[in-house]
Amino acid sequence: MRPILMKGHERPLTFLRYNRDGDLLFSCAKDHTPNVWFADNGDRLGTYRGHNGAVWSCDVSRDSTRLITGSADQTAKLWDVQTGTELFTFRFDAPARSVEFAIGDGLAVITTDNFMDNVPTAQVKRIADDPDDQSEEALLVISGIKGRINRAVWGPLNKTIITAGEDATIRIWDTETGTCLKESDKEQGHQKTITSLSKSADWSHFLTGSLDKSAKLWDTRTLTLIKTYVTERPVNAVDISPLLDHVVIGGGQDAMNVTMTDRRAGKFEAKFFHKILQEEIGGVKGHFGPINALAFNPDGRSFSSGGEDGYVRLHHFDSDYFNIKI
């Protein structure tokens, strides 16, 4: 399995997202400019220029026409995927971190950080079909969470929003009223900052990764803990295979901590675990720094990883991968 190295960013990667068809890969980094790549051969198609801060996350509409990005420049922007034109800018009083379109692409949830005196929020915005009709007005603002919200995603049928972040607690919110319906159990849940959250293809369960060196699988409706995957390093990124019972987990120490430990400590590989048996089934090495972003192609036959080293590595699985026996 030879990786395709995609060099388009000058700073560490923050987020990767495939479109629904799996032919395009969008990458975000701390260098202000999201990129779009062909997902099969790793050729760069184009860039989205307009942010002037690190871009923390992105999402692409179901028909691959719109891209939304959240940035440290205190804005979230809507883009035309094909032309790279900026269609609209949502302005906030704090950095925008997590963005995600709802089913139907008529709504988006955007989170803002706790910055200066601002409390962290998750805001629901209506996404207009025509950019001229677009407004900045929030339909719902969820607040009352202590610590940064690293991920906010839509639950089944857009009825709920699931948030996770610095306070290590996962919460499920009602999208009509903004009330908190459920919180993850303090004992069973993560003990440190939750860095990442990824939903299964059918949305029945989701996976969270945390700096407590573990990833956990949860039931979307009941928020019951199903599985825990333990690694020896802080987890920065997770994803669930849409094809096999596999999860991929990546991470590594912060750059500032690497020198304080022995030379083997910089283990920067994407580890694969069996989703049900919780056993490690393999790893893919290669990054020269912590892995910050992971994504499976929607067909489950390839995956990509983005690292602190500024590279995106695209891996097409060999036939051996599909025949792994445990």
PDB file of all heavy atoms in Angstrom, residues 279-305:
ATOM      1  N   GLU A 279      -9.732  -5.004  19.181  1.00  0.00           N
ATOM      2  CA  GLU A 279      -8.317  -5.374  19.065  1.00  0.00           C
ATOM      3  C   GLU A 279      -7.651  -4.600  17.940  1.00  0.00           C
ATOM      4  O   GLU A 279      -8.266  -4.327  16.920  1.00  0.00           O
ATOM      5  CB  GLU A 279      -8.202  -6.885  18.764  1.00  0.00           C
ATOM      6  CG  GLU A 279      -8.521  -7.756  19.954  1.00  0.00           C
ATOM      7  CD  GLU A 279      -8.474  -9.237  19.588  1.00  0.00           C
ATOM      8  OE1 GLU A 279      -7.782  -9.569  18.614  1.00  0.00           O
ATOM      9  OE2 GLU A 279      -9.140 -10.031  20.266  1.00  0.00           O
ATOM     10  N   GLU A 280      -6.365  -4.294  18.147  1.00  0.00           N
ATOM     11  CA  GLU A 280      -5.621  -3.589  17.111  1.00  0.00           C
ATOM     12  C   GLU A 280      -5.317  -4.554  15.969  1.00  0.00           C
ATOM     13  O   GLU A 280      -4.858  -5.669  16.201  1.00  0.00           O
ATOM     14  CB  GLU A 280      -4.320  -3.053  17.717  1.00  0.00           C
ATOM     15  CG  GLU A 280      -3.633  -2.059  16.829  1.00  0.00           C
ATOM     16  CD  GLU A 280      -2.353  -1.512  17.443  1.00  0.00           C
ATOM     17  OE1 GLU A 280      -2.314  -1.284  18.667  1.00  0.00           O
ATOM     18  OE2 GLU A 280      -1.391  -1.338  16.687  1.00  0.00           O
ATOM     19  N   ILE A 281      -5.601  -4.120  14.717  1.00  0.00           N
ATOM     20  CA  ILE A 281      -5.367  -5.034  13.594  1.00  0.00           C
ATOM     21  C   ILE A 281      -4.251  -4.552  12.683  1.00  0.00           C
ATOM     22  O   ILE A 281      -3.843  -5.264  11.775  1.00  0.00           O
ATOM     23  CB  ILE A 281      -6.651  -5.247  12.761  1.00  0.00           C
ATOM     24  CG1 ILE A 281      -7.308  -3.907  12.413  1.00  0.00           C
ATOM     25  CG2 ILE A 281      -7.616  -6.148  13.461  1.00  0.00           C
ATOM     26  CD1 ILE A 281      -8.613  -4.046  11.670  1.00  0.00           C
ATOM     27  N   GLY A 282      -3.731  -3.365  12.918  1.00  0.00           N
ATOM     28  CA  GLY A 282      -2.638  -2.908  12.062  1.00  0.00           C
ATOM     29  C   GLY A 282      -2.429  -1.421  12.181  1.00  0.00           C
ATOM     30  O   GLY A 282      -3.189  -0.726  12.866  1.00  0.00           O
ATOM     31  N   GLY A 283      -1.379  -0.941  11.520  1.00  0.00           N
ATOM     32  CA  GLY A 283      -1.093   0.484  11.569  1.00  0.00           C
ATOM     33  C   GLY A 283      -0.428   0.936  10.287  1.00  0.00           C
ATOM     34  O   GLY A 283       0.164   0.146   9.571  1.00  0.00           O
ATOM     35  N   VAL A 284      -0.567   2.225  10.005  1.00  0.00           N
ATOM     36  CA  VAL A 284       0.069   2.800   8.827  1.00  0.00           C
ATOM     37  C   VAL A 284       0.945   3.959   9.293  1.00  0.00           C
ATOM     38  O   VAL A 284       0.449   4.979   9.749  1.00  0.00           O
ATOM     39  CB  VAL A 284      -0.989   3.303   7.815  1.00  0.00           C
ATOM     40  CG1 VAL A 284      -0.311   3.929   6.608  1.00  0.00           C
ATOM     41  CG2 VAL A 284      -1.895   2.159   7.386  1.00  0.00           C
ATOM     42  N   LYS A 285       2.256   3.763   9.174  1.00  0.00           N
ATOM     43  CA  LYS A 285       3.194   4.802   9.608  1.00  0.00           C
ATOM     44  C   LYS A 285       3.440   5.775   8.468  1.00  0.00           C
ATOM     45  O   LYS A 285       3.027   5.557   7.348  1.00  0.00           O
ATOM     46  CB  LYS A 285       4.532   4.173  10.013  1.00  0.00           C
ATOM     47  CG  LYS A 285       4.504   3.388  11.306  1.00  0.00           C
ATOM     48  CD  LYS A 285       5.935   3.046  11.732  1.00  0.00           C
ATOM     49  CE  LYS A 285       5.994   2.382  13.085  1.00  0.00           C
ATOM     50  NZ  LYS A 285       5.442   1.023  13.093  1.00  0.00           N
ATOM     51  N   GLY A 286       4.162   6.851   8.776  1.00  0.00           N
ATOM     52  CA  GLY A 286       4.557   7.730   7.683  1.00  0.00           C
ATOM     53  C   GLY A 286       4.666   9.197   8.010  1.00  0.00           C
ATOM     54  O   GLY A 286       5.531   9.872   7.492  1.00  0.00           O
ATOM     55  N   HIS A 287       3.800   9.689   8.888  1.00  0.00           N
ATOM     56  CA  HIS A 287       3.852  11.133   9.178  1.00  0.00           C
ATOM     57  C   HIS A 287       5.025  11.472  10.098  1.00  0.00           C
ATOM     58  O   HIS A 287       5.355  10.712  10.994  1.00  0.00           O
ATOM     59  CB  HIS A 287       2.540  11.588   9.827  1.00  0.00           C
ATOM     60  CG  HIS A 287       1.432  11.785   8.837  1.00  0.00           C
ATOM     61  ND1 HIS A 287       1.379  12.860   7.992  1.00  0.00           N
ATOM     62  CD2 HIS A 287       0.347  11.033   8.563  1.00  0.00           C
ATOM     63  CE1 HIS A 287       0.304  12.760   7.241  1.00  0.00           C
ATOM     64  NE2 HIS A 287      -0.341  11.655   7.562  1.00  0.00           N
ATOM     65  N   PHE A 288       5.617  12.651   9.874  1.00  0.00           N
ATOM     66  CA  PHE A 288       6.723  13.117  10.716  1.00  0.00           C
ATOM     67  C   PHE A 288       6.215  14.063  11.783  1.00  0.00           C
ATOM     68  O   PHE A 288       6.814  15.099  12.051  1.00  0.00           O
ATOM     69  CB  PHE A 288       7.763  13.837   9.846  1.00  0.00           C
ATOM     70  CG  PHE A 288       8.475  12.905   8.925  1.00  0.00           C
ATOM     71  CD1 PHE A 288       8.054  12.743   7.621  1.00  0.00           C
ATOM     72  CD2 PHE A 288       9.560  12.163   9.368  1.00  0.00           C
ATOM     73  CE1 PHE A 288       8.695  11.871   6.765  1.00  0.00           C
ATOM     74  CE2 PHE A 288      10.203  11.279   8.519  1.00  0.00           C
ATOM     75  CZ  PHE A 288       9.772  11.130   7.219  1.00  0.00           C
ATOM     76  N   GLY A 289       5.100  13.732  12.351  1.00  0.00           N
ATOM     77  CA  GLY A 289       4.506  14.580  13.376  1.00  0.00           C
ATOM     78  C   GLY A 289       3.142  14.002  13.682  1.00  0.00           C
ATOM     79  O   GLY A 289       2.670  13.108  12.979  1.00  0.00           O
ATOM     80  N   PRO A 290       2.509  14.483  14.739  1.00  0.00           N
ATOM     81  CA  PRO A 290       1.204  13.937  15.113  1.00  0.00           C
ATOM     82  C   PRO A 290       0.201  13.971  13.961  1.00  0.00           C
ATOM     83  O   PRO A 290       0.272  14.854  13.101  1.00  0.00           O
ATOM     84  CB  PRO A 290       0.747  14.869  16.241  1.00  0.00           C
ATOM     85  CG  PRO A 290       1.995  15.435  16.801  1.00  0.00           C
ATOM     86  CD  PRO A 290       2.960  15.532  15.665  1.00  0.00           C
ATOM     87  N   ILE A 291      -0.703  12.997  13.940  1.00  0.00           N
ATOM     88  CA  ILE A 291      -1.780  12.978  12.947  1.00  0.00           C
ATOM     89  C   ILE A 291      -2.942  13.802  13.499  1.00  0.00           C
ATOM     90  O   ILE A 291      -3.425  13.542  14.598  1.00  0.00           O
ATOM     91  CB  ILE A 291      -2.216  11.528  12.662  1.00  0.00           C
ATOM     92  CG1 ILE A 291      -1.073  10.777  11.969  1.00  0.00           C
ATOM     93  CG2 ILE A 291      -3.479  11.497  11.808  1.00  0.00           C
ATOM     94  CD1 ILE A 291      -1.315   9.301  11.782  1.00  0.00           C
ATOM     95  N   ASN A 292      -3.359  14.812  12.747  1.00  0.00           N
ATOM     96  CA  ASN A 292      -4.420  15.713  13.219  1.00  0.00           C
ATOM     97  C   ASN A 292      -5.761  15.457  12.563  1.00  0.00           C
ATOM     98  O   ASN A 292      -6.780  15.957  13.027  1.00  0.00           O
ATOM     99  CB  ASN A 292      -4.031  17.168  12.942  1.00  0.00           C
ATOM    100  CG  ASN A 292      -2.806  17.595  13.732  1.00  0.00           C
ATOM    101  OD1 ASN A 292      -2.488  16.994  14.751  1.00  0.00           O
ATOM    102  ND2 ASN A 292      -2.122  18.611  13.257  1.00  0.00           N
ATOM    103  N   ALA A 293      -5.767  14.718  11.455  1.00  0.00           N
ATOM    104  CA  ALA A 293      -7.015  14.518  10.723  1.00  0.00           C
ATOM    105  C   ALA A 293      -7.005  13.156  10.044  1.00  0.00           C
ATOM    106  O   ALA A 293      -5.971  12.716   9.548  1.00  0.00           O
ATOM    107  CB  ALA A 293      -7.179  15.616   9.674  1.00  0.00           C
ATOM    108  N   LEU A 294      -8.166  12.491  10.065  1.00  0.00           N
ATOM    109  CA  LEU A 294      -8.312  11.189   9.399  1.00  0.00           C
ATOM    110  C   LEU A 294      -9.677  11.146   8.729  1.00  0.00           C
ATOM    111  O   LEU A 294     -10.649  11.687   9.263  1.00  0.00           O
ATOM    112  CB  LEU A 294      -8.241  10.044  10.419  1.00  0.00           C
ATOM    113  CG  LEU A 294      -6.870   9.670  10.989  1.00  0.00           C
ATOM    114  CD1 LEU A 294      -7.070   8.730  12.163  1.00  0.00           C
ATOM    115  CD2 LEU A 294      -6.002   9.015   9.929  1.00  0.00           C
ATOM    116  N   ALA A 295      -9.744  10.489   7.580  1.00  0.00           N
ATOM    117  CA  ALA A 295     -11.049  10.303   6.940  1.00  0.00           C
ATOM    118  C   ALA A 295     -11.019   9.071   6.051  1.00  0.00           C
ATOM    119  O   ALA A 295     -10.064   8.861   5.305  1.00  0.00           O
ATOM    120  CB  ALA A 295     -11.412  11.533   6.112  1.00  0.00           C
ATOM    121  N   PHE A 296     -12.061   8.249   6.178  1.00  0.00           N
ATOM    122  CA  PHE A 296     -12.259   7.130   5.255  1.00  0.00           C
ATOM    123  C   PHE A 296     -13.005   7.650   4.034  1.00  0.00           C
ATOM    124  O   PHE A 296     -13.909   8.486   4.160  1.00  0.00           O
ATOM    125  CB  PHE A 296     -13.143   6.053   5.900  1.00  0.00           C
ATOM    126  CG  PHE A 296     -12.395   5.002   6.668  1.00  0.00           C
ATOM    127  CD1 PHE A 296     -12.389   5.013   8.054  1.00  0.00           C
ATOM    128  CD2 PHE A 296     -11.725   3.981   6.010  1.00  0.00           C
ATOM    129  CE1 PHE A 296     -11.708   4.028   8.775  1.00  0.00           C
ATOM    130  CE2 PHE A 296     -11.053   2.993   6.712  1.00  0.00           C
ATOM    131  CZ  PHE A 296     -11.042   3.024   8.093  1.00  0.00           C
ATOM    132  N   ASN A 297     -12.641   7.145   2.867  1.00  0.00           N
ATOM    133  CA  ASN A 297     -13.448   7.413   1.683  1.00  0.00           C
ATOM    134  C   ASN A 297     -14.816   6.750   1.906  1.00  0.00           C
ATOM    135  O   ASN A 297     -14.883   5.664   2.490  1.00  0.00           O
ATOM    136  CB  ASN A 297     -12.759   6.802   0.461  1.00  0.00           C
ATOM    137  CG  ASN A 297     -13.421   7.223  -0.833  1.00  0.00           C
ATOM    138  OD1 ASN A 297     -14.612   7.019  -1.039  1.00  0.00           O
ATOM    139  ND2 ASN A 297     -12.643   7.813  -1.718  1.00  0.00           N
ATOM    140  N   PRO A 298     -15.922   7.383   1.455  1.00  0.00           N
ATOM    141  CA  PRO A 298     -17.252   6.779   1.661  1.00  0.00           C
ATOM    142  C   PRO A 298     -17.391   5.370   1.103  1.00  0.00           C
ATOM    143  O   PRO A 298     -18.297   4.641   1.509  1.00  0.00           O
ATOM    144  CB  PRO A 298     -18.185   7.747   0.934  1.00  0.00           C
ATOM    145  CG  PRO A 298     -17.470   9.052   0.963  1.00  0.00           C
ATOM    146  CD  PRO A 298     -16.010   8.731   0.877  1.00  0.00           C
ATOM    147  N   ASP A 299     -16.508   4.950   0.167  1.00  0.00           N
ATOM    148  CA  ASP A 299     -16.611   3.569  -0.320  1.00  0.00           C
ATOM    149  C   ASP A 299     -15.802   2.605   0.554  1.00  0.00           C
ATOM    150  O   ASP A 299     -15.830   1.388   0.337  1.00  0.00           O
ATOM    151  CB  ASP A 299     -16.183   3.459  -1.792  1.00  0.00           C
ATOM    152  CG  ASP A 299     -14.690   3.713  -2.006  1.00  0.00           C
ATOM    153  OD1 ASP A 299     -13.955   3.899  -1.016  1.00  0.00           O
ATOM    154  OD2 ASP A 299     -14.266   3.730  -3.174  1.00  0.00           O
ATOM    155  N   GLY A 300     -15.049   3.131   1.529  1.00  0.00           N
ATOM    156  CA  GLY A 300     -14.306   2.285   2.461  1.00  0.00           C
ATOM    157  C   GLY A 300     -13.062   1.640   1.868  1.00  0.00           C
ATOM    158  O   GLY A 300     -12.422   0.828   2.515  1.00  0.00           O
ATOM    159  N   ARG A 301     -12.678   2.001   0.645  1.00  0.00           N
ATOM    160  CA  ARG A 301     -11.544   1.349  -0.015  1.00  0.00           C
ATOM    161  C   ARG A 301     -10.254   2.161   0.063  1.00  0.00           C
ATOM    162  O   ARG A 301      -9.202   1.730  -0.407  1.00  0.00           O
ATOM    163  CB  ARG A 301     -11.889   1.054  -1.482  1.00  0.00           C
ATOM    164  CG  ARG A 301     -13.087   0.127  -1.558  1.00  0.00           C
ATOM    165  CD  ARG A 301     -13.336  -0.470  -2.921  1.00  0.00           C
ATOM    166  NE  ARG A 301     -14.280  -1.571  -2.774  1.00  0.00           N
ATOM    167  CZ  ARG A 301     -13.929  -2.825  -2.484  1.00  0.00           C
ATOM    168  NH1 ARG A 301     -12.669  -3.139  -2.318  1.00  0.00           N
ATOM    169  NH2 ARG A 301     -14.841  -3.757  -2.354  1.00  0.00           N
ATOM    170  N   SER A 302     -10.334   3.348   0.622  1.00  0.00           N
ATOM    171  CA  SER A 302      -9.124   4.155   0.819  1.00  0.00           C
ATOM    172  C   SER A 302      -9.343   5.063   2.028  1.00  0.00           C
ATOM    173  O   SER A 302     -10.483   5.251   2.465  1.00  0.00           O
ATOM    174  CB  SER A 302      -8.822   4.985  -0.421  1.00  0.00           C
ATOM    175  OG  SER A 302      -9.888   5.872  -0.703  1.00  0.00           O
ATOM    176  N   PHE A 303      -8.249   5.587   2.555  1.00  0.00           N
ATOM    177  CA  PHE A 303      -8.385   6.575   3.621  1.00  0.00           C
ATOM    178  C   PHE A 303      -7.264   7.593   3.485  1.00  0.00           C
ATOM    179  O   PHE A 303      -6.266   7.356   2.812  1.00  0.00           O
ATOM    180  CB  PHE A 303      -8.382   5.907   5.008  1.00  0.00           C
ATOM    181  CG  PHE A 303      -7.013   5.686   5.598  1.00  0.00           C
ATOM    182  CD1 PHE A 303      -6.522   6.514   6.600  1.00  0.00           C
ATOM    183  CD2 PHE A 303      -6.204   4.636   5.166  1.00  0.00           C
ATOM    184  CE1 PHE A 303      -5.264   6.304   7.152  1.00  0.00           C
ATOM    185  CE2 PHE A 303      -4.945   4.421   5.707  1.00  0.00           C
ATOM    186  CZ  PHE A 303      -4.470   5.260   6.706  1.00  0.00           C
ATOM    187  N   SER A 304      -7.465   8.755   4.107  1.00  0.00           N
ATOM    188  CA  SER A 304      -6.405   9.760   4.065  1.00  0.00           C
ATOM    189  C   SER A 304      -6.135  10.268   5.471  1.00  0.00           C
ATOM    190  O   SER A 304      -7.008  10.234   6.340  1.00  0.00           O
ATOM    191  CB  SER A 304      -6.785  10.908   3.134  1.00  0.00           C
ATOM    192  OG  SER A 304      -8.025  11.419   3.493  1.00  0.00           O
ATOM    193  N   SER A 305      -4.900  10.722   5.677  1.00  0.00           N
ATOM    194  CA  SER A 305      -4.512  11.262   6.981  1.00  0.00           C
ATOM    195  C   SER A 305      -3.795  12.583   6.757  1.00  0.00           C
ATOM    196  O   SER A 305      -3.100  12.765   5.757  1.00  0.00           O
ATOM    197  CB  SER A 305      -3.599  10.272   7.714  1.00  0.00           C
ATOM    198  OG  SER A 305      -2.474   9.955   6.920  1.00  0.00           O
TER     199      SER A 305
END
